[in-house]
Amino acid sequence: MRLVLLGLPGAGKGTQGDRLSQKYSVPHISTGSIIRAAIDAGSEIGIEANKYISKGFLIPDELAIDIVEQRLLQPDCNGGWILDGFPRTVQQAIHLDAKLEKSRMAIEYAIDIRISEDEAIKRIAERRICSECGSTYHLTYYRAKGRGVCDNCGGRLYQRSDDNEMTAKERLRVYLKQTHPVIHYYAQRGKLYSVNGERAIDEVFADIETYVLKQARKNVTGEKL
Ligand code: AP5
Ligand code: MG
């Protein structure tokens, strides 16, 4: 499985990426999570990236490309991966394709999880994340059973610093301007599958899974994609 998850901030890329990763045992690579870990660690990359992420802007392409290239070199990526939050510009998509074609590991498909902008803001404003295991919750849609505590590991739940209203609106604006063209990039190459993300998490997952399994069968039987 080598797939890319696209969609507005809050669309459910992380939620669906985690589920796919657990079920199909391939790493879920979220550039946003890698960058936030670098910021928390106070590394050079983290300090540089925080200048952009804190304002809702994209980090420079070279930096994002470097982060993903390093991650894809890890041995756990040999059997496939799920990319979440990358590519986010056409430039990143072109670079990734060129790199993967050399290693004969081309992207199989891109899944665009579609939600409205209003829904994106609702999801971002009420998202909470576990400080220990990274599990994601929502104060209305997907509540943790304990107050402010993770169901899986008991870790403290926190709100991402870029999940405030002003930064979230900027992230939506940036997405529409810089990332939306990436959807056309994959559509033109016959690799795009769009799902309605405004359904229950399980329903969205079932839709994605049906598509993924159908593609896998086509690959095995040699049927035309
Ligand atoms: P990133 O971390 O990727 O953030 P994002 O794209 O804004 O997406 P989110 O993580 O906010 O949303 P999501 O789609 O993962 O939704 P989730 O599953 O959590 O990037 C952050 C920043 O890093 C960027 O702004 C940029 O600065 C930088 N960056 C990252 N990659 C970069 C790159 N390649 N180039 C340059 N810069 C880069 O779900 C959201 C909420 O909704 C949760 O509470 C969840 O429980 C709930 N939910 C999910 N699905 C459903 C559902 N079906 N129904 C109801 N609730 C749901
Ligand atoms: Mg995410």
Side-chain angles (χ1 to χ4, degrees), residues 13-14 30 33 36 84 127 160:
K13 303 181 294 295
S30 154
S33 299
R36 283 186 288 279
D84 157 3
R127 171 169 45 199
R160 260 166 57 175

Side-chain angles (χ1 to χ4, degrees):
M1 178 184 290
R2 294 185 301 277
L3 69 88
V4 165
L5 292 171
L6 301 167
L8 280 174
K13 303 181 294 295
T15 302
Q16 300 298 335
D18 273 348
R19 289 188 176 210
L20 285 166
S21 166
Q22 276 169 29
K23 185 146 182 191
Y24 294 97
S25 304
V26 287
H28 167 208
I29 302 172
S30 154
T31 40
S33 299
I34 296 173
I35 296 166
R36 283 186 288 279
I39 292 172
D40 290 346
S43 69
E44 218 173 287
I45 288 179
I47 292 167
E48 179 62 15
N50 198 31
K51 293 178 195 161
Y52 301 88
I53 202 168
S54 60
K55 297 189 182 82
F57 301 158
L58 297 185
I59 66 167
D61 280 341
E62 314 80 68
L63 195 52
I65 288 167
D66 192 42
I67 288 170
V68 168
E69 279 188 6
Q70 295 303 323
R71 182 62 186 87
L72 291 178
L73 287 175
Q74 301 299 313
D76 64 336
C77 291
N78 291 342
W81 29 258
I82 298 159
L83 283 179
D84 157 3
F86 189 97
R88 247 179 158 97
T89 62
V90 171
Q91 202 47 44
Q92 290 180 13
I94 292 170
H95 188 95
L96 182 66
D97 272 354
K99 189 86 192 166
L100 294 174
E101 265 156 33
K102 266 191 212 155
S103 51
R104 296 172 184 268
M105 295 281 276
I107 286 173
E108 292 167 300
Y109 31 79
I111 297 191
D112 178 27
I113 307 176
R114 305 181 73 124
I115 61 167
S116 67
E117 289 177 52
D118 285 349
E119 179 67 11
I121 294 289
K122 272 189 222 156
R123 290 195 187 174
I124 290 171
E126 295 192 35
R127 171 169 45 199
R128 296 293 182 272
I129 298 168
C130 175
S131 51
E132 299 295 324
C133 70
S135 295
T136 301
Y137 298 91
H138 189 276
L139 296 182
T140 304
Y141 300 140
Y142 188 59
R143 292 182 73 86
K145 293 186 187 86
R147 211 179 157 81
V149 173
C150 177
D151 292 348
N152 298 330
C153 72
R156 185 184 57 82
L157 302 186
Y158 75 99
Q159 186 171 26
R160 260 166 57 175
S161 61
D162 61 344
D163 275 356
N164 61 76
E165 200 180 329
M166 208 170 79
T167 313
K169 283 191 175 151
E170 184 60 24
R171 282 159 56 201
L172 291 185
R173 198 190 62 75
V174 165
Y175 182 89
L176 295 173
K177 187 163 178 236
Q178 292 181 267
T179 308
H180 201 258
V182 177
I183 293 174
H184 299 293
Y185 177 89
Y186 288 115
Q188 280 166 356
R189 285 156 182 78
K191 290 192 173 184
L192 184 73
Y193 181 64
S194 296
V195 297
N196 172 5
E198 290 198 24
R199 293 174 293 167
I201 292 172
D202 287 346
E203 279 179 57
V204 178
F205 183 74
D207 190 344
I208 296 174
E209 194 179 27
T210 303
Y211 176 78
V212 165
L213 294 175
K214 197 168 127 195
Q215 297 306 308
R217 270 199 306 274
K218 282 182 179 173
N219 284 344
V220 169
T221 59
E223 215 177 305
K224 240 183 141 212
L225 288 179

